[in-house]
Amino acid sequence: MSFGQGGPSWGPEESRTPDWAALAEASEARGRRRKWLMIGGGAVATAAVAAIVATAVVTTNGGGSTDDRASRLPAPEDLPSRSTEPQPSFSSVAPPPPPDPKDYIADAKKDKAPVTLDAFFPGTKLTMGDRVYAKGPTNDTKSCASTTQGALGSILTNHDCDQVLRATYSKDGVAVTVGIAVFGTEAEARKAAEEASGGLASLSGSGVPTFCRGGAVCRRTANSYGRYAYFTVGGFTSGKSVTKADQDVFAVGNDLTEFTFRQIRHRGEVQASAAAGAPTTA
């Protein structure tokens, strides 16, 4: 009697007693097969999970495979190099200092601007703040001594005066003549101003009557700047003598002195500015 494949065996003598040893061996063999199938299946499942995780990591980090990402990296020759744009440079040589305006009025060798009445006394009037003075007669001469009174003539001559320019300004019965004596050097002009004695002769005409002549007392000043010495003589057009209480005469004289100084200084500034802007030669 047979139960088909895998059925129990009754032994060689076909007795009805089961062969327990054979049955046990067959059962043990089936158990071993199930164990190996479970182990093998688990390994396959683990490998599949690992592959899925690895694929997810690669997809999340790069959006493609490692080879794809590597192919997108710039080649060494494509990487940006240092900028080739020009960079600022600084000279180690300090620029020369700007010209000193006084240098251009200290010596005739550098003071090349024209020496004229219009250069020093322009216009028909002079405005200083809220004070306006009418310009009267003017005079320009190379006979320096003829423009003076007393000892000043010989002093100008002794220091080689080249030229004297004069102009008279007046306001409310007060008149002041200012004179600019031109020398070759600053030293000559300074000496003439320091040694000044006597004074400048007043200049009348063009509506200004004679003043500061004869016995009238007038105010006189003497100064220098660069190669120019400048003098003033001021008083009343009525012929009245000036006293220390007559501040209006002092005020007009001070305005004319300040104006003349500015004109001389401006002369130096103009020439220095022109020199600074001139192209240099090698």
Side-chain angles (χ1 to χ4, degrees):
M1 179 178 182
S2 173
F3 285 93
Q5 186 176 0
S9 175
W10 297 106
E13 296 182 0
E14 295 295 329
S15 66
R16 301 265 180 194
T17 302
D19 187 347
W20 299 111
L23 290 174
E25 184 177 350
S27 177
E28 184 179 351
R30 286 192 301 271
R32 284 196 301 270
R33 283 197 301 272
R34 284 196 301 271
K35 180 178 180 180
W36 283 111
L37 285 174
M38 292 178 64
I39 293 175
V44 171
T46 300
V49 172
I52 293 172
V53 172
T55 301
V57 171
V58 170
T59 302
T60 301
N61 288 342
S65 67
T66 303
D67 292 340
D68 290 341
R69 293 198 307 275
S71 66
R72 290 197 297 268
L73 291 175
E77 60 270 16
D78 296 334
L79 292 175
S81 60
R82 286 189 174 183
S83 175
T84 58
E85 294 182 2
Q87 300 298 316
S89 60
F90 302 93
S91 173
S92 59
V93 179
D100 183 353
K102 194 176 181 182
D103 288 345
Y104 290 85
I105 54 172
D107 195 295
K109 295 177 181 178
K110 295 188 71 173
D111 186 9
K112 299 299 184 181
V115 180
T116 64
L117 286 168
D118 286 339
F120 289 99
F121 308 118
T124 59
K125 61 183 179 180
L126 170 64
T127 301
M128 297 289 286
D130 58 352
R131 301 171 300 282
V132 180
Y133 304 103
K135 187 172 83 171
T138 60
N139 175 258
D140 177 9
T141 180
K142 294 184 181 300
S143 177
C144 298
S146 66
T147 65
T148 66
Q149 290 181 315
L152 184 59
S154 60
I155 293 172
L156 297 183
T157 301
N158 291 340
H159 292 294
D160 299 323
C161 173
D162 297 322
Q163 184 178 355
V164 173
L165 304 97
R166 287 182 297 167
T168 297
Y169 293 86
S170 62
K171 180 180 184 296
D172 299 335
V174 175
V176 174
T177 296
V178 56
I180 301 175
V182 186
F183 297 85
T185 66
E186 181 178 12
E188 292 171 342
R190 183 172 59 250
K191 279 290 186 180
E194 291 172 349
E195 297 174 8
S197 178
L200 189 70
S202 63
L203 182 64
S204 58
S206 301
V208 179
T210 300
F211 67 102
C212 293
R213 294 296 180 101
V217 176
C218 290
R219 187 197 182 210
R220 303 178 187 275
T221 66
N223 295 276
S224 70
Y225 188 70
R227 69 187 187 106
Y228 301 92
Y230 50 104
F231 309 89
T232 66
V233 55
F236 294 105
T237 56
S238 64
K240 184 178 72 169
S241 292
V242 176
T243 68
K244 291 183 179 180
D246 295 317
Q247 292 302 307
D248 49 351
V249 176
F250 283 80
V252 177
N254 290 343
D255 278 348
L256 265 294
T257 297
E258 175 67 18
F259 167 73
T260 304
F261 166 76
R262 291 181 184 179
Q263 291 296 93
I264 298 171
R265 183 181 63 184
H266 179 66
R267 179 184 180 86
E269 291 170 345
V270 170
Q271 294 183 90
S273 178
T280 59
T281 57

